[in-house]
Amino acid sequence: MPFEDGTSFGQWLDDSKTQSNLEDLGLSKRDIDGYWAYEELFDRARRLLRKGERDTWVGDSPTRGEIEELLGGDKAMIDLLFEASIADVLDDHISDERVKTALFGQGIIGTWGGPREPGTASIKLMHYQGDLTGEGPLWGYVEGGMGMVSFAIADAAREAGAVLACGVPVSEIVPGEGVRLEDGTFIRAGTVVCNADPKRMLSMLDGHEIDASFRDRLERWKVRSPVVKFNAALERLPDWAAAPGETWPARATIDLTGTMDDAQRAFESCDRGEPAVAFGEIYIQTGYDPSPAPDGKHLLSVFGQYAPYTLSAGDWDSRRDDVARQFIDLIDRFAPGFEDCLADYEVLGPPDIESRIGLTGGNIFQGEVTPDQMWEGRLAPRTPVPGLYMCGAATHPAGSVIALNGRNAAAAVLADAGVVLAAA
Ligand SMILES: Cc1cc2nc3c(=O)[nH]c(=O)nc-3n(C[C@H](O)[C@H](O)[C@H](O)COP(=O)(O)OP(=O)(O)OC[C@H]3O[C@@H](n4cnc5c(N)ncnc54)[C@H](O)[C@@H]3O)c2cc1C
């Protein structure tokens, strides 16, 4: 995380490097201890929920009471899951504004809310609970691009005897009988497992009688999204003021933002219908895997916030250039001359994510991941509609490239069919 004064803060895999970085920034011992206590609080919650008595991401969600028990009744951890804002947790541990600026972003990812919104601490915890190849909560790049994950799952399914059909949207789910494709073809199936988001699934059930409380729940399901993407092809890597001439930032996740208060104001502007890109998380995929770009060129994508689906003035087509300018200006503050690195770029607002990826509202997780829509508040694979299961990110344990939703759904289908799986 670069700061505008040319200094930076990095979280390294090697804790001693992070410690040196905190010391170089001149933090007090109290703040340095606070930083480590902050990280340990999230890590302790992660270990208890994923590595303790049971892995709470696998199978049905535990109830709130069961979660509290798994956390040993610890008030700070319970608050983290259900109540606290990321700003509150940071304020409780750290006084240095720069470090708080560097850390709050993980509490707002994909969230319709600013860092001072209650429940945002749980967003960081959700992201922190993943486990990359047993190495703990790290992010990874997929060689060849994200689509390779889908290809790998497809290969495994084919190997197990599945027949796949792509590019054939479903228009109707007929409970207990099968699905109708948009071209009118009817596919008979007593069991249907739906990966589309709850709003789309509900529209596919149009005209069929379904349990009123389930319908009501899907209608009330919240899918607001403030996420806007900036995807760019670069002639060369940006030159960061905090690391002049260095190429290693291309192998890091780089967060660019002002203070928590700036981000809170940006959210409030977005809530009024006006885009305000105040937070950008940058990935330079070619820093790890040069294969998706021509020799010597690079790809850079920015996961940005905040921009609403519906704009108070104009529409996405007429405002796209303004929003692109906000991204370029944000990056330029930390990497002067960034605009000259650009070969091409695109901006995808929530309506573009909706139409391109097929996610209602452009919500990246098939529904908001604030505490009210997590754990027991998340949907389960089993539905009250005969023969219909859900397997997407709207189900427990929610979104990210984790494949657990699919696994949980498969386990439910097999259990209901009386198939007993051998222990893994
Ligand atoms: C911009 C963006 C950035 C993200 N960044 C990250 C990240 O850095 N790390 C991470 O782990 N996760 C990230 N995520 C989240 C992650 O990609 C999702 O949580 C994950 O892909 C969910 O997978 P899923 O199986 O639930 O399906 P989804 O990816 O939610 O897809 C639902 C599928 O249903 C299909 N569908 C909808 N309607 C129909 C229909 N009528 N007929 C047939 N098919 C239909 C859609 O086309 C789509 O393919 C990001 C998501 C987005 C959009």
Side-chain angles (χ1 to χ4, degrees):
M1 164 98 202
F3 303 118
E4 280 176 275
D5 65 2
T7 60
S8 63
F9 172 60
Q11 290 180 297
W12 302 82
L13 290 179
D14 175 352
D15 284 350
S16 67
K17 287 178 84 171
T18 308
Q19 172 74 17
S20 307
N21 201 160
L22 290 165
E23 289 167 6
D24 291 347
L25 282 171
L27 257 68
S28 65
K29 177 167 182 330
R30 194 190 160 110
D31 259 357
I32 294 180
D33 290 347
Y35 167 79
W36 291 112
Y38 170 83
E39 291 297 340
E40 172 57 17
L41 179 63
F42 284 93
D43 206 41
R44 199 147 43 95
R46 175 183 78 86
R47 292 193 306 267
L48 288 169
L49 295 171
R50 298 286 328 265
K51 309 264 178 205
E53 237 167 80
R54 67 162 278 203
D55 181 346
T56 57
W57 274 16
V58 176
D60 293 336
S61 164
T63 62
R64 174 152 181 173
E66 285 164 345
I67 292 171
E68 292 190 0
E69 209 168 295
L70 287 166
L71 296 176
D74 183 294
K75 187 173 174 326
M77 281 191 284
I78 294 168
D79 258 14
L80 211 61
L81 257 79
F82 298 108
E83 316 287 347
S85 73
I86 193 73
D88 283 345
V89 184
L90 282 165
D91 287 341
D92 284 351
H93 287 85
I94 301 164
S95 65
D96 187 277
E97 270 317 314
R98 291 163 301 174
V99 176
K100 287 196 274 192
T101 297
L103 297 177
F104 80 82
Q106 297 313 303
I108 59 167
I109 296 283
T111 305
W112 189 261
R116 301 209 176 275
E117 234 65 48
T120 42
S122 73
I123 311 288
K124 171 174 158 90
L125 182 64
M126 171 191 138
H127 286 97
Y128 204 74
Q129 280 175 275
D131 195 342
L132 187 74
T133 59
E135 291 171 70
L138 305 175
W139 292 105
Y141 288 111
V142 181
E143 207 173 329
M146 283 306 292
M148 300 308 282
V149 175
S150 308
F151 286 132
I153 294 173
D155 286 347
R158 276 200 201 93
E159 222 173 88
V163 176
L164 307 180
C166 298
V168 283
V170 172
S171 60
E172 184 186 3
I173 297 169
V174 184
E177 293 182 29
V179 296
R180 193 175 321 279
L181 306 182
E182 274 183 6
D183 69 4
T185 310
F186 191 75
I187 300 177
R188 284 201 176 281
T191 300
V192 170
V193 184
C194 179
N195 193 44
D197 70 70
K199 304 284 189 194
R200 289 196 166 214
M201 188 180 81
L202 190 57
S203 73
M204 290 181 237
L205 286 163
D206 210 23
H208 296 282
E209 212 166 283
I210 62 170
D211 179 87
S213 65
F214 186 58
R215 176 185 294 281
D216 182 52
R217 191 166 175 208
L218 302 189
E219 280 170 352
R220 282 187 292 104
W221 189 250
K222 291 187 288 175
V223 290
R224 294 166 303 178
S225 174
V227 173
V228 52
K229 289 280 297 185
F230 178 85
N231 297 326
L234 302 184
E235 295 292 351
R236 59 176 187 281
L237 289 173
D239 196 20
W240 301 99
E246 300 284 352
T247 55
W248 61 261
R251 294 171 71 82
T253 300
I254 305 165
D255 280 3
L256 305 180
T257 179
T259 62
M260 289 199 281
D261 287 335
D262 294 340
Q264 186 67 32
R265 277 191 292 273
F267 165 65
E268 284 157 16
S269 160
C270 168
D271 200 29
R272 292 191 300 271
E274 185 56 27
V277 178
F279 170 80
E281 185 158 284
I282 295 188
Y283 320 100
I284 302 176
Q285 293 82 357
T286 41
Y288 274 93
D289 173 16
S291 68
D295 261 3
K297 314 272 177 176
H298 288 275
L299 295 180
L300 170 148
S301 67
V302 193
F303 183 99
Q305 287 180 211
Y306 291 91
Y309 186 99
T310 306
L311 303 173
S312 55
D315 58 20
W316 270 94
D317 284 337
S318 64
R319 299 292 304 279
R320 207 177 298 279
D321 287 347
D322 303 348
V323 178
R325 175 49 51 196
Q326 292 187 19
F327 273 103
I328 294 167
D329 289 348
L330 176 68
I331 301 172
D332 210 79
R333 272 161 56 192
F334 302 92
F338 168 70
E339 194 164 2
D340 296 337
C341 304
L342 286 168
D344 204 356
Y345 59 84
E346 64 175 3
V347 168
L348 303 177
D352 307 306
I353 295 175
E354 176 177 77
S355 61
R356 194 184 283 199
I357 305 180
L359 293 167
T360 305
N363 189 290
I364 69 165
F365 295 133
Q366 296 196 355
E368 295 176 38
V369 291
T370 38
D372 56 323
Q373 290 200 156
M374 289 293 283
W375 303 103
E376 286 175 287
R378 207 84 191 152
L379 291 153
R382 290 183 177 90
T383 77
V385 180
L388 180 63
Y389 295 79
M390 299 180 75
C391 68
T395 62
H396 175 69
S400 293
V401 180
I402 48 176
L404 264 170
N405 319 74
R407 175 181 160 165
N408 285 340
V413 171
L414 291 171
D416 293 351
V419 178
V420 181
L421 289 177

